[in-house]
C-alpha cells in the first residue's frame, strides 16, 4: 500500500511497468557504495547478500556440529583448548550439558532456517527469478531489500544470543514447550529463548516479504513469450517453494506468539500441571501437544521449502550438463505440485508417539507414504535425463548427481519412519537424525553447491576453481555417507538422539569406535567446506574470468545478459522467448536458446 | 514489446497481486490460531467467555468504515478529490474508533476477572486473536494516514488508483476477517 506509493509515487506510469523500468535504467543515477552494495535494491546484489550471510551462518553452524561431535565421539576425553575459548561452557575441557544442548539447538536452527531457507531460497530466488523469466527486477525491489534486512536483523539477534550470560536457546530447533516456555526449566530457557523467538519472528517477516515478491514476480512479470510452461524448472520450484512459505510461516508465527505469551505473560496455552524447580505452577488447561501441531503444520512444509529449490536447480543443471532435454517436464511440474499439496497433509507423522489417535494416525501414514509417488517420479525423470546423456562432469553436475543419490537414500528411510508402527521404535533415535540429514540437510546443501558452481560465473563474472571443486565434491559425498549411514544402525539398535553421553548404556558400547569414526570424518568434511569457502572468496577476486556470454551453452535467459549485468539486467530490450528452456540436442544442434525464434523447418516436438 | 507487456500487466497489477497473496498468508495465521482454539476447547478445564457487548459496536463501526472507503474509492475514480479526502479521513477516524472500542472490550473483560494468569480458556485466546486483528487494523490505519497526508499535501497530479484500490481491498479484508473472528467467538464454545 504505502510501499506502492513510495515505489512509484513519482510516476503515474504503473501500467507501463516496462517503460518505467527502462526509464529508470537509462538515467540510473550515480550509485554510491551504500546504494550499490549495502542498501541495494538490485535483485542480484540482494541474492549475493543472502548467499554470503548464509555462508557465514553455515560456518558457525558447521563448527557447532564439530564441537558436539567431539563430545559424542570422545566423551571421556578432555579438550583444554575448548576451555580457553568457551570458558565455563567447557569447564575442564569437557563440554557441559548446557553447552551441548545450546550447540545442537543453534546448529539446527541456523542450518534449517538461516542457511537452507534464507541462504538457499534467498540467494537463488533473487538471483534467478528476474534473470530467467526476463524481468528487470522483482515486482517490488523495495520489499525485496527489506526482506534481506529483516533476515539481517534476525541474524544479529540470533548471533547476540550466543553471548548472553545464560547462553542461547537450548530446547532443540523445534523448541517444544514446556521446556521452551518456562524460564526456570534451564539455562537455555531464559533470555536466550526470548532472543530466539524474536529472531525467528524477524526471520518469518523476511521470508514472507521475500515469498510474496517471488510469487508476484513469477506470475506477473514474465517477458513476452515466456508462458508458464516455457519456464525453466528452477522457476517452478521456486514458485512452489514461495507458496509453501507464504502459507506455512504464518502458522509458525501464531505458534510462536502463543509461546511468547506463555513465557512472559503467564497464560496457559501450552502449560498444564507442571512441577518444576521445586515449585508447582498455577497453569492449568494448556496443551503442549498443541504447539507440536502448530509447529509441524509449518515444519513439514518447511522441509520442502528447503528441498524444492534444490530440486529445481538440480533439474536444470542435469539437463544442461547432460546436453539433453529434461525428461518429463510436465511430470516434473505436476510432481512438484503434488508434493506441495501433500506437504500440508502429513504433519502428524512427526507426532505418532504423542498419543495421537491411532485411527487418525492411519490416515497420516497413508498420506505420508503417498509422497513417495511424486518423489519417485522425480527420481525417475532425473535418471532418465542423465541416461545416455553427453554428460559434462563439472562440479555442478557432480553435486546434482550427488543430490539425486542422497534423495533416494534418505527418501527410502522416510518410508520406514512413515509407518507409524515402525516409528514407535525409531522415533527420537539416531535413525531420524540420519534420515533427515541425508534427505534434507546434505541433499539440499548439495543442491545449493550445485547452484553455486553453476551460477557463480553469472554472479561474479569468474569461475570457481574446478580442481578444488572436485575435491570438495568427493570428500563431501563420501564423508556424508560415512557420517550418516552408520547412524541408521545406531538408531535401529535404539540409540536415542539428543543425548550427550551414552556411556552408561552398556549395550551401546559397541558403537564407541563407530562414533569416533563419525566424529573424525565430520572434522574432515568440515575442513573441506572451509576449503570451499576459500575457493568462493578467492575466486570472486582471482578466479578465471568468464570470457563468453554463455559459458555452459545453456538455453535460459540469464546467459543472454552481459557477463557482468548492471541493474536492469539487459542493456537493451528484454529478449522475447520463443520456446521452452530445454531444446538440447535437437535437430542436430547442441542447444537452442530460448530467445531464438523457431526455425522454418525445425522439428515440432516442442 | 511494450504493447505486449502492457497486455500482460493488465491482468492484475503486481502490487494488487502481492496484496492478495499477503491476505492468504494472514488468513493462514488466523486459521492457525482459530484451529488452536478448537483443539483446546475440546480439552478438560476449558473456560468459556461471554463476549462483551461493546464488540457489537465495533462491528458496526468497521462495517461502516468499509462503506466509507468504498465510497472514497468511487470518488477518487470520479476525480472528486475533495469528497475523496473527506471520506478517507472518515474511514481513518472510524478505524481509530474501532481500535478504541476493542481496547474498551479488552478492559471490560480484564476487569471482570478474565486475565492472562490462571485457568486456560477462551478469554486468553480472545486477547491474542482480537489483539492481532486490531494490530492489522492499526497497520491499515497508519497506511491510511500516509495516504491522507499525500492527498492533502502531495502534488498528486496522477489519477492512478492502484494505491487506493490496494488500500480498500485490505480494509475490506480486515473487516471480513473481523466478522469471521467475531462470529467464531460467539459460535464456538
Ligand atoms: C517419502 C518421503 C518421506 C517420508 C515418508 C518421511 C517420513 C518422515 C517421518 C515419519 C518422520 C518423523 C520421524 C520421527 O520423528 O519419528 C520424518 C522426519 C523428518 N523428515 Fe522425513 N520423510 C520423507 C521425506 C523427507 C524429505 C524429502 C525431507 C526434507 C527435505 C524430510 C525431512 C525430515 C526432517 C527434517 C525430519 C525430522 C525433524 C525432527 O524431528 O527434527 N523428510 N520423516
Ligand atoms: Cu515431515
Amino acid at each position: 500500500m504505502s510501499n506502492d506509493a513510495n515505489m512509484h509515487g513519482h510516476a503515474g506510469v504503473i501500467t507501463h511497468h516496462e517503460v518505467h523500468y527502462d526509464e529508470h535504467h537509462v538515467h540510473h543515477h550515480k550509485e554510491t557504495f551504500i546504494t550499490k552494495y549495502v542498501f541495494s535494491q538490485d535483485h542480484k546484489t540482494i541474492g549475493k547478500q543472502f548467499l554470503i550471510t548464509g555462508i557465514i551462518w553455515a560456518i558457525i553452524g558447521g563448527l557447532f556440529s564439530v564441537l558436539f561431535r567431539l563430545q559424542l565421539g570422545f566423551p571421556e576425553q578432555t579438550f583444554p583448548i575448548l576451555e580457553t575459548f568457551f570458558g565455563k561452557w567447557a569447564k575442564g575441557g569437557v563440554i557441559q550439558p548446557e553447552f551441548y544442548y545450546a550447540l545442537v539447538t543453534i546448529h539446527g536452527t541456523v542450518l534449517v532456517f538461516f542457511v537452507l531457507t534464507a541462504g538457499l531460497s534467498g540467494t537463488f530466488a533473487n538471483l534467478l527469478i528476474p534473470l530467467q523469466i526476463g524481468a528487470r527486477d522483482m515486482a517490488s525491489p523495495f520489499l525485496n531489500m527489506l526482506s534481506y534486512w529483516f533476515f539481517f536483523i534476525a541474524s544479529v539477534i540470533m548471533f547476540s544470543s550466543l553471548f548472553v550470560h545464560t547462553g542461547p536457546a537450548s530446547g532443540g530447533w523445534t523448541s517444544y514447550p514446556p521446556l521452551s516456555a518456562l524460564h526456570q526449566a534451564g539455562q537455555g530457557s531464559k533470555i536466550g529463548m526470548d532472543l530466539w523467538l524474536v529472531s525467528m519472528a524477524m526471520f518469518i517477516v523476511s521470508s514472507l516479504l521475500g515469498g510474496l515478491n517471488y510469487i508476484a514476480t513469477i506470475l506477473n512479470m514474465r517477458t513476452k513469450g515466456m508462458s508458464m510452461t516455457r519456464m525453466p524448472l528452477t522457476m517452478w520450484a521456486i514458485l512452489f517453494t514461495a507458496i509453501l512459505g507464504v502459507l506455512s510461516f504464518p502458522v509458525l508465527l501464531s505458534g510462536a506468539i502463543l509461546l511468547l505469551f506463555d513465557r512472559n505473560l503467564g497464560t496457559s496455552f501450552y502449560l498444564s500441571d507442571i512441577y518444576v524447580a521445586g515449585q508447582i505452577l498455577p497453569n492449568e488447561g494448556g496443551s503442549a501437544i498443541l504447539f507440536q501441531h502448530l509447529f509441524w503444520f509449518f515444519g513439514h512444509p518447511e522441509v520442502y521449502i528447503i528441498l524444492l529449490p534444490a530440486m529445481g536447480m538440480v533439474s536444470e543443471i542435469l539437463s544442461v550438463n547432460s546436453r539433453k532435454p529434461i525428461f518429463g517436464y510436465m511430470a516434473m511440474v505436476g510432481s512438484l505440485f503434488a508434493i506441495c499439496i501433500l506437504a500440508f497433509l502429513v504433519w502428524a507423522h512427526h507426532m505418532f508417539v504423542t498419543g495421537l489417535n491411532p485411527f487418525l494416525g492411519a490416515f497420516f501414514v497413508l498420506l505420508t507414504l503417498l509422497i513417495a509417488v511424486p518423489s519417485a517420479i522425480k527420481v525417475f525423470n532425473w535418471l532418465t535425463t542423465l541416461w545416455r546423456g553427453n554428460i559434462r562432469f563439472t562440479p555442478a553436475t557432480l553435486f546434482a548427481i550427488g543430490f539425486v543419490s542422497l534423495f533416494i537414500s534418505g527418501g527410502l528411510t522416510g518410508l520406514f519412519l512413515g509407518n507409524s508402527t515402525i516409528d514407535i521404535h525409531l522415533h527420537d533415535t539416531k535413525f531420524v537424525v540420519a534420515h533427515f540429514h541425508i534427505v534434507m540437510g546434505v541433499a539440499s546443501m548439495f543442491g545449493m553447491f550445485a547452484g553455486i558452481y553453476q551460477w557463480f560465473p553469472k554472479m561474479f563474472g569468474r569461475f570457481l576453481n574446478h580442481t578444488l571443486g572436485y575435491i570438495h565434491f568427493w570428500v563431501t559425498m563420501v564423508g556424508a555417507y560415512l557420517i550418516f549411514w552408520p547412524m541408521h544402525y545406531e538408531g535401529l539398535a535404539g540409540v536415542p538422539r539428543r543425548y550427550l553421553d551414552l556411556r552408561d548404556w552398556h549395550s551401546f558400547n559397541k558403537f564407541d569406535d563407530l562414533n569416533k569414526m563419525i566424529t573424525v570424518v565430520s572434522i574432515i568434511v568440515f575442513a573441506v567446506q572451509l576449503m570451499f569457502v576459500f575457493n568462493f572468496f578467492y575466486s570472486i577476486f582471482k578466479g578465471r574470468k568468464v570470457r563468453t556470454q554463455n559459458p555452459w551453452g545453456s538455453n535460459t535467459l540469464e546467459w543472454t545478459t552481459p557477463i557482468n549485468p548492471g541493474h536492469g539486467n539487459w542493456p537493451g530490450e528484454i529478449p522475447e522467448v520463443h520456446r521452452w528452456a530445454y531444446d538440447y540436442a535437437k535437430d542436430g544442434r547442441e542447444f537452442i536458446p530460448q530467445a531464438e525464434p523457431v526455425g522454418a523447418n525445425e522439428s515440432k516436438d516442442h | 514489446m511494450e504493447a505486449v507487456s502492457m497486455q500482460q500487466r493488465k491482468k492484475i497489477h503486481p502490487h494488487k497481486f502481492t496484496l492478495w497473496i499477503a491476505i492468504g498468508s494472514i488468513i493462514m495465521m488466523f486459521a492457525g490460531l482459530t484451529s488452536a482454539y478448537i483443539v483446546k476447547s475440546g480439552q478438560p478445564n476449558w473456560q468459556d467467555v461471554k463476549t462483551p457487548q461493546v464488540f457489537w459496536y465495533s462491528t458496526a463501526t468497521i462495517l461502516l468504515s468499509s462503506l466509507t472507503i468504498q465510497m472514497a474509492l468511487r470518488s477518487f475514480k470520479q476525480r472528486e478529490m475533495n469528497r475523496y479526502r473527506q471520506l478517507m479521513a472518515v474511514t481513518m477516524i472510524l478505524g481509530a474508533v474501532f481500535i478504541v472500542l476493542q481496547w474498551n472490550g479488552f478492559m471490560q473483560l480484564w476487569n471482570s476477572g478474565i486475565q492472562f494468569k490462571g485457568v486456560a480458556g477462551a478469554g486468553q485466546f480472545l486477547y491474542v486473536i482480537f489483539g492481532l486483528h486490531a494490530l492489522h487494523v492499526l497497520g491499515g490505519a497508519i497506511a491510511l494516514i500516509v495516504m491522507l497526508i499525500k492527498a492533502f499535501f502531495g502534488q498528486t497530479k496522477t489519477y492512478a488508483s492502484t494505491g487506493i484500490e490496494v488500500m480498500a481491498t485490505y480494509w475490506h479484508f480486515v473487516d471480513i476477517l473481523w466478522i469471521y473472528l467475531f462470529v467464531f467467538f460467539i459460535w464456538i464454545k
Side-chain angles (χ1 to χ4, degrees):
Chain A
M1 309 145 276
S2 54
N3 296 318
D4 179 28
N6 289 343
M7 292 295 313
H8 299 285
H10 60 287
V13 291
I14 293 170
T15 35
H16 313 258
H17 223 96
E18 215 64 70
V19 183
H20 170 73
Y21 272 115
D22 275 342
E23 270 176 6
H24 215 73
H25 186 60
V26 176
H27 37 109
H28 206 248
H29 13 269
K30 282 165 207 68
E31 287 178 309
T32 62
F33 181 82
I34 299 279
T35 58
K36 188 153 182 223
Y37 294 106
V38 185
F39 294 107
S40 169
Q41 299 192 15
D42 182 343
H43 68 99
K44 299 182 292 298
T45 309
I46 296 174
K48 290 176 205 168
Q49 289 172 329
F50 270 108
L51 180 56
I52 290 172
T53 317
I55 288 178
I56 293 169
W57 275 118
I59 297 170
I60 297 173
L63 178 70
F64 283 9
S65 72
V66 168
L67 292 177
F68 65 69
R69 264 322 307 183
L70 280 181
Q71 164 65 26
L72 288 172
F74 305 92
E76 67 288 329
Q77 210 127 318
T78 56
F79 303 94
I81 182 159
L82 292 181
E83 191 172 10
T84 324
F85 279 107
F86 301 104
K88 65 170 179 173
W89 297 103
K91 210 169 10 175
V94 179
I95 290 180
Q96 300 299 304
E98 288 80 11
F99 191 36
Y100 178 86
Y101 289 116
L103 289 173
V104 179
T105 301
I106 300 300
H107 164 79
T109 305
V110 153
L111 276 136
V112 167
F113 295 111
F114 291 3
V115 180
L116 289 175
T117 304
L120 182 58
S121 284
T123 303
F124 290 102
N126 274 305
L127 177 75
L128 293 181
I129 291 175
L131 286 175
Q132 288 197 335
I133 65 170
R136 301 245 177 244
D137 206 315
M138 289 286 182
S140 171
F142 178 71
L143 286 189
N144 208 29
M145 176 181 81
L146 281 188
S147 160
Y148 174 74
W149 287 100
F150 270 101
F151 172 46
F152 186 81
I153 295 170
S155 294
V156 170
I157 297 174
M158 190 66 78
F159 192 71
S160 66
S161 86
L162 302 179
F163 300 97
V164 298
H165 177 63
T166 47
S170 310
W173 77 279
T174 54
S175 64
Y176 285 171
L179 186 54
S180 61
L182 300 170
H183 295 258
Q184 60 271 52
Q187 294 282 302
S189 304
K190 294 190 163 62
I191 177 82
M193 192 65 223
D194 287 308
L195 291 172
W196 189 92
L197 283 167
V198 175
S199 166
M200 285 306 298
M202 295 295 121
F203 182 80
I204 292 170
V205 174
S206 154
S207 297
L208 290 175
L209 292 176
L212 291 177
N213 236 322
Y214 307 155
I215 298 172
T217 310
I218 293 180
L219 292 184
N220 290 296
M221 314 243 313
R222 300 188 308 278
T223 183
K224 184 180 180 190
M226 181 66 88
S227 61
M228 291 297 279
T229 49
R230 281 180 179 170
M231 293 198 306
L233 285 169
T234 32
M235 292 298 103
W236 277 106
I238 286 170
L239 175 65
F240 283 124
T241 306
I243 293 174
L244 281 176
V246 160
L247 296 180
S248 69
F249 269 110
V251 180
L252 176 67
L253 185 61
S254 55
I257 290 170
L258 298 184
L259 188 55
L260 273 172
F261 269 76
D262 272 7
R263 279 182 66 72
N264 298 316
L265 298 171
T267 52
S268 328
F269 293 110
Y270 304 131
L271 302 173
S272 192
D273 308 310
I274 289 169
Y275 178 80
V276 63
Q279 197 192 354
I280 299 173
L281 299 186
N283 304 74
E284 243 182 273
S287 158
I289 303 297
L290 174 62
F291 180 84
Q292 294 200 22
H293 278 294
L294 292 172
F295 184 88
W296 287 116
F297 184 86
F298 149 79
H300 189 84
E302 165 67 12
V303 304
Y304 283 100
I305 290 172
I306 289 176
L307 196 69
L308 294 193
M311 285 180 159
M313 290 193 290
V314 163
S315 306
E316 174 71 16
I317 290 167
L318 286 183
S319 175
V320 172
N321 289 309
S322 54
R323 314 309 286 150
K324 271 182 64 193
I326 190 82
F327 188 90
Y329 176 87
M330 283 315 284
M332 286 305 226
V333 176
S335 52
L336 283 175
F337 179 71
I339 287 177
C340 267
I341 301 286
L342 286 172
F344 281 110
L345 302 176
V346 299
W347 77 91
H349 67 210
H350 297 273
M351 301 169 60
F352 285 141
V353 297
T354 56
L356 187 79
N357 181 339
F359 182 71
L360 205 60
F363 285 97
F364 279 104
V365 169
L366 182 73
L367 289 162
T368 299
L369 297 183
L370 266 181
I371 299 192
V373 177
S375 308
I377 292 176
K378 299 202 84 74
V379 168
F380 180 81
N381 288 351
W382 286 320
L383 296 180
T384 32
T385 301
L386 285 168
W387 180 252
R388 301 193 161 191
N390 192 2
I391 306 176
R392 295 184 306 211
F393 287 100
T394 63
T397 320
L398 288 175
F399 274 107
I401 295 173
F403 171 93
V404 177
S405 157
L406 290 157
F407 182 65
I408 296 173
S409 311
L412 288 175
T413 55
L415 295 177
F416 289 67
L417 297 169
N419 286 282
S420 54
T421 35
I422 307 179
D423 189 54
I424 293 173
H425 177 64
L426 293 176
H427 179 68
D428 266 350
T429 66
K430 283 272 190 306
F431 192 95
V432 177
V433 176
H435 159 68
F436 74 76
H437 275 91
I438 289 187
V439 75
M440 176 181 79
V442 188
S444 292
M445 272 317 240
F446 270 44
M448 187 161 165
F449 287 136
I452 295 174
Y453 281 101
Q454 181 81 358
W455 281 287
F456 193 88
K458 193 74 255 165
M459 282 188 252
F460 299 104
R462 292 172 187 269
F463 289 96
L464 281 164
N465 181 304
H466 278 196
T467 312
L468 291 182
Y470 292 124
I471 298 173
H472 179 210
F473 169 75
W474 284 110
V475 175
T476 313
M477 182 77 189
V478 174
Y481 272 114
L482 281 177
I483 292 168
F484 293 113
W485 196 268
M487 285 191 198
H488 291 106
Y489 300 115
E490 296 189 5
L492 284 168
V495 176
R497 69 193 276 206
R498 303 201 170 101
Y499 278 56
L500 75 156
D501 193 345
L502 297 163
R503 276 174 296 173
D504 288 340
W505 252 301
H506 294 294
S507 54
F508 298 149
N509 285 347
K510 58 173 177 273
F511 294 125
D512 282 357
D513 291 334
L514 199 56
N515 279 327
K516 289 189 174 46
M517 185 277 288
I518 293 177
T519 299
V520 172
V521 177
S522 307
I523 294 169
I524 296 171
V525 170
F526 180 67
V528 168
Q529 307 316 306
L530 292 182
M531 184 198 76
F532 165 75
V533 174
F534 167 77
N535 189 359
F536 183 89
F537 286 105
Y538 180 82
S539 302
I540 290 178
F541 302 104
K542 294 275 162 68
R544 184 162 59 86
K545 274 204 169 123
V546 176
R547 305 215 178 272
T548 58
Q549 226 179 0
N550 189 357
W552 309 126
S554 177
N555 287 342
T556 39
L557 288 183
E558 72 269 32
W559 305 107
T560 61
T561 60
I563 291 172
N564 288 305
H567 196 175
N569 298 336
W570 288 269
E573 286 196 349
I574 300 179
E576 185 182 335
V577 164
H578 299 275
R579 57 181 75 240
W580 75 331
Y582 297 102
D583 271 341
Y584 293 102
K586 186 183 181 191
D587 292 346
R589 286 181 60 188
E590 198 184 338
F591 68 104
I592 315 179
Q594 283 190 283
E596 190 176 311
V598 179
N601 29 14
E602 195 175 318
S603 61
K604 272 198 90 157
D605 57 78
H606 237 285
Chain B
M1 169 97 210
E2 197 180 302
V4 174
S5 50
M6 276 172 66
Q7 194 184 32
Q8 253 186 15
R9 297 298 106 75
K10 250 197 214 117
K11 278 186 295 187
I12 180 166
H13 186 277
H15 291 164
K16 267 192 220 168
F17 189 82
T18 308
L19 176 74
W20 281 108
I21 312 164
I23 286 177
S25 189
I26 298 172
I27 289 176
M28 285 306 286
M29 181 165 96
F30 285 94
L33 289 165
T34 46
S35 353
Y37 179 102
I38 293 173
V39 170
K40 282 248 342 225
S41 66
Q43 290 186 335
N45 282 332
W46 174 256
Q47 297 274 307
D48 213 358
V49 67
K50 193 169 164 351
T51 35
Q53 197 86 45
V54 58
F55 289 129
W56 286 97
Y57 301 131
S58 53
T59 309
T61 314
I62 200 166
L63 277 174
L64 193 63
S65 73
S66 251
L67 193 70
T68 53
I69 202 166
Q70 195 56 31
M71 285 159 65
L73 177 60
R74 238 211 359 241
S75 317
F76 186 91
K77 285 192 171 153
Q78 293 164 347
R79 319 226 159 146
E80 294 181 32
M81 297 317 273
N82 262 334
R83 235 174 102 73
Y84 159 71
R85 278 176 218 144
Q86 282 161 9
L87 282 163
M88 289 292 268
V90 172
T91 311
M92 204 279 292
I93 291 165
L94 286 173
V97 170
F98 175 83
I99 291 168
V100 172
L101 288 174
Q102 297 299 83
W103 183 254
N104 205 292
F106 292 158
M107 290 322 283
Q108 283 185 27
L109 266 185
W110 190 268
N111 294 332
S112 75
I114 295 171
Q115 303 186 350
F116 291 150
K117 292 208 163 67
V119 178
Q124 302 177 335
F125 269 103
L126 187 144
Y127 291 123
V128 175
I129 295 180
F130 285 8
L132 280 173
H133 174 265
L135 278 183
H136 283 81
V137 176
L138 187 66
I142 292 172
L144 265 179
I145 294 176
V146 174
M147 292 185 80
L148 264 175
I149 294 175
K150 285 228 172 88
F152 278 109
F153 304 109
Q155 298 127 314
T156 14
K157 289 282 170 283
T158 81
Y159 290 97
S161 59
T162 321
I164 151 97
E165 279 173 32
V166 167
M167 186 64 234
T169 310
Y170 177 78
W171 199 262
H172 293 319
F173 165 68
V174 289
D175 183 359
I176 295 167
L177 180 63
W178 167 252
I179 309 269
Y180 160 68
L181 295 174
F182 191 45
V183 171
F184 179 89
F185 265 84
I186 292 175
W187 226 283
I188 314 269
K189 294 293 179 190

